[in-house]
């Protein structure tokens, strides 16, 4: 399969990035070290180029009806300038993808989806569009770049570039505003790091100028480019799921901890079966755990009971730069899911003791 290229690939190479294939795209995984880049975002400000993500525009009188059908969350509570986290349930009990929904107007929405699922999501939503001329769908993914400027100093670093009052933007809201000399740029108070910050959507032809403007404005605050390696440790410290690791087409969203965005106050795809599962009770759950013994849990390592019997597997795991210990997530039977429960991670032939903890691992 041919690898796709993001528009600023050459800039990342010039900055010394190690480029690796990820989700079908050649992406910067690190520029210096994962540890240094992680701490830059936790304590200061960093910029990620995440232009591999997908963006769809849904317009029309029936756009909200299509979204309500394909999304488990209740989009009727949205208002202009509001963002909502949700997921697309499939009809087999699993998850097509998780996504963000932006309400631009009552008849126009932007959906932001995972890079690896752009084509799948597009085809799925189109296949569910029974509203004839009531919804126009436009895939703007190939023409859109996305920069995530994350960290406690993000608002200060970006403020000279826009008239929007960044400090007063509420979490999960956005504005269409001027930015770095360009009009109608979407700036949203969202992110995947738990460190605070903003995501900026620009047309490909504006991307280089906007990237350079952000890097220049961020100089006094020590801004650095950040790769996917640190993005993964940052999101895992917050207990954020990664599609393809912690959930997929075969995993129940209720088991994955997505009950909070599953709204049974309206019908949606497979809602009756998910309601039944909720009523019957779950047999397993996604949990977070910290290693008590020294070691690093990795994806697909076995999770065991005290006798060494397999009870699950690690879906995401790493050495937490903030906590200085191994952390991970995985699915276990519900009797092992309460905080304080003991698990063991099988690393080669050793059983490393771990404790189930309440997420997030690192408090905001």
């Amino acid at each position: 399969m041919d690898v796709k290229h993001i528009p600023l690939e050459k800039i990342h190479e010039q900055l010394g990035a190690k480029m690796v294939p990820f989700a079908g795209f050649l992406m910067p995984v690190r520029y210096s070290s994962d540890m240094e880049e992680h701490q830059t975002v936790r304590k200061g400000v960093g910029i990620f180029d995440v232009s591999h993500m997908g963006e769809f525009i849904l317009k029309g009188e029936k756009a909200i009806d299509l979204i309500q059908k394909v999304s488990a969350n209740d989009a009727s509570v949205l208002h202009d300038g509001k963002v909502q986290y949700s997921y697309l349930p499939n009809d087999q009990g699993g998850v097509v993808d998780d996504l963000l929904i932006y309400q631009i107007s009552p008849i126009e929405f932007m959906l932001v989806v995972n890079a690896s699922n752009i084509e799948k999501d597009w085809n799925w939503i189109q296949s569910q569009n029974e509203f004839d001329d009531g919804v126009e769908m436009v895939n703007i993914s190939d023409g859109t770049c996305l920069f995530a400027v994350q960290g406690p100093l993000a608002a200060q670093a970006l403020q000279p570039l826009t008239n929007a009052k960044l400090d007063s933007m509420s979490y999960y809201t956005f504005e269409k505003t001027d930015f770095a000399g360009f009009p109608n740029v979407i700036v949203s108070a969202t992110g995947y790091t738990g460190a605070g910050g903003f995501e900026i959507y620009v047309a490909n032809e504006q991307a280089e100028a906007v990237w350079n403007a952000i890097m220049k404005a961020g100089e006094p605050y020590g801004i650095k480019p950040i790769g996917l390696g640190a993005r993964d440790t940052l999101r895992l410290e917050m207990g954020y799921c990664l599609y393809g690791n912690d959930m997929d087409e075969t995993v129940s969203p209720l088991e994955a901890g997505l009950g909070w965005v599953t709204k049974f106050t309206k019908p949606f795809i497979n809602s009756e079966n998910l309601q039944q599962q909720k009523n019957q009770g779950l047999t397993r759950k996604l949990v977070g755990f910290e290693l008590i013994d020294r070691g690093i849990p990795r994806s697909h390592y076995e999770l065991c009971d005290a006798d060494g019997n397999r009870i699950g597997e690690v879906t995401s795991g790493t050495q937490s730069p903030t906590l200085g210990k191994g952390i991970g997530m995985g699915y276990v039977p519900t009797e092992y899911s309460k905080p304080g429960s003991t698990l063991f991670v099988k690393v080669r032939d050793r059983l490393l003791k771990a404790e189930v903890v309440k997420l997030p691992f690192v408090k905001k």
Side-chain angles (χ1 to χ4, degrees):
M1 180 177 164
D2 291 340
V3 69
K4 294 182 179 177
H5 299 271
I6 56 176
L8 300 191
E9 181 180 318
K10 289 284 186 288
I11 284 179
H12 299 306
E13 289 174 346
Q14 288 163 9
L15 289 167
K18 179 182 180 186
M19 306 293 289
V20 299
F22 176 82
F25 291 78
L26 201 61
M27 296 294 294
V29 68
R30 73 183 53 84
Y31 301 81
S32 54
S33 76
D34 293 346
M35 175 70 80
E36 181 186 326
E37 291 174 22
H38 181 107
Q39 299 296 2
T40 294
V41 174
R42 277 279 176 259
K43 297 174 180 176
V45 59
I47 176 172
F48 303 81
D49 185 344
V50 282
S51 300
H52 61 320
M53 299 291 282
E55 296 88 12
F56 309 150
I57 299 292
L58 271 59
K59 287 185 198 173
E61 298 294 337
K62 296 289 188 180
I64 185 64
D65 298 297
L66 177 56
I67 289 168
Q68 288 288 69
K69 178 183 176 184
V70 300
S71 163
N73 208 339
D74 183 4
S76 72
V77 303
L78 285 171
H79 53 78
D80 295 1
K82 182 67 178 158
V83 188
Q84 183 180 76
Y85 176 70
S86 188
Y87 67 90
L88 307 172
N90 66 20
D91 49 13
Q92 305 296 313
V95 178
V96 178
D97 201 5
D98 63 336
L99 77 163
L100 295 180
I101 302 168
Y102 286 64
Q103 181 169 316
I104 297 167
S105 80
I107 59 168
E108 183 175 0
F109 300 82
M110 181 171 75
L111 311 186
V112 183
V113 303
N114 284 299
S116 56
N117 294 332
I118 293 172
E119 185 178 0
K120 180 182 79 164
D121 291 357
W122 177 262
N123 292 339
W124 173 254
I125 296 169
Q126 269 203 324
S127 75
Q128 301 299 325
N129 186 7
E130 62 191 3
F131 301 102
D132 300 325
D133 298 331
V135 187
E136 177 191 358
M137 291 179 57
V138 186
N139 186 348
I140 62 169
S141 305
D142 287 345
T144 304
C145 282
L146 172 56
F147 304 135
V149 182
Q150 297 284 295
L153 301 181
Q156 290 166 264
L158 294 179
Q159 191 58 74
L161 300 176
T162 180
N163 289 322
K165 299 290 185 283
L166 299 180
D167 265 340
S168 58
M169 275 182 74
S170 301
Y171 191 45
Y172 266 62
T173 65
F174 72 95
E175 287 186 35
K176 261 193 171 183
T177 184
D178 61 290
F179 190 88
F182 296 101
N184 297 318
V185 173
I186 287 181
V187 177
S188 68
T190 51
Y192 193 49
T193 65
F198 301 87
E199 294 186 301
I200 298 140
Y201 298 82
V202 296
N204 285 0
E205 55 270 20
Q206 302 166 349
E208 185 171 351
V210 170
W211 173 276
N212 289 338
I214 293 170
M215 290 294 283
K216 188 167 186 349
E219 268 178 19
Y221 303 94
I223 196 170
K224 291 177 184 171
I226 313 294
L228 292 177
R231 186 172 168 85
D232 195 52
T233 54
L234 287 158
R235 70 91 190 171
L236 186 49
E237 285 188 344
M238 300 312 299
Y240 295 154
C241 288
L242 175 63
Y243 191 90
N245 284 42
D246 310 301
M247 60 177 143
D248 58 33
E249 295 271 5
T250 68
V251 171
S252 161
L254 302 183
E255 294 175 347
L258 297 179
W260 66 284
V261 290
T262 306
K263 300 300 166 66
F264 295 114
T265 49
K266 53 132 203 182
F268 58 85
I269 290 167
N270 207 44
S271 57
E272 289 183 6
N273 289 333
L274 289 174
Q275 177 75 71
Q276 187 177 9
Q277 184 184 38
K278 181 184 178 183
N279 294 343
Q280 289 173 345
L282 303 176
T283 58
R284 66 172 193 161
K285 287 183 182 177
L286 182 68
V287 299
F289 60 86
E290 294 179 356
L291 281 187
I292 296 168
D293 293 333
R294 286 176 62 83
I296 303 176
R298 302 290 188 195
S299 291
H300 305 303
Y301 282 11
E302 288 185 17
L303 294 173
C304 302
D305 63 16
D307 297 322
N309 300 309
R310 180 190 170 111
I311 57 171
E313 75 170 30
V314 178
T315 55
S316 288
T318 193
Q319 175 79 2
S320 165
T322 303
L323 301 177
K325 63 173 79 168
I327 61 171
M329 299 196 295
Y331 288 89
V332 296
T334 48
E335 58 264 34
Y336 292 91
S337 66
K338 286 190 178 141
S341 299
T342 299
L343 304 173
F344 292 85
V345 182
K346 190 171 185 182
V347 181
R348 300 182 185 88
D349 293 326
R350 296 173 59 217
L351 290 179
L352 303 183
K353 192 175 183 180
E355 180 183 1
V356 174
V357 298
K358 187 171 171 32
L359 295 172
F361 296 101
V362 174
K363 311 304 179 213
K364 288 187 186 180

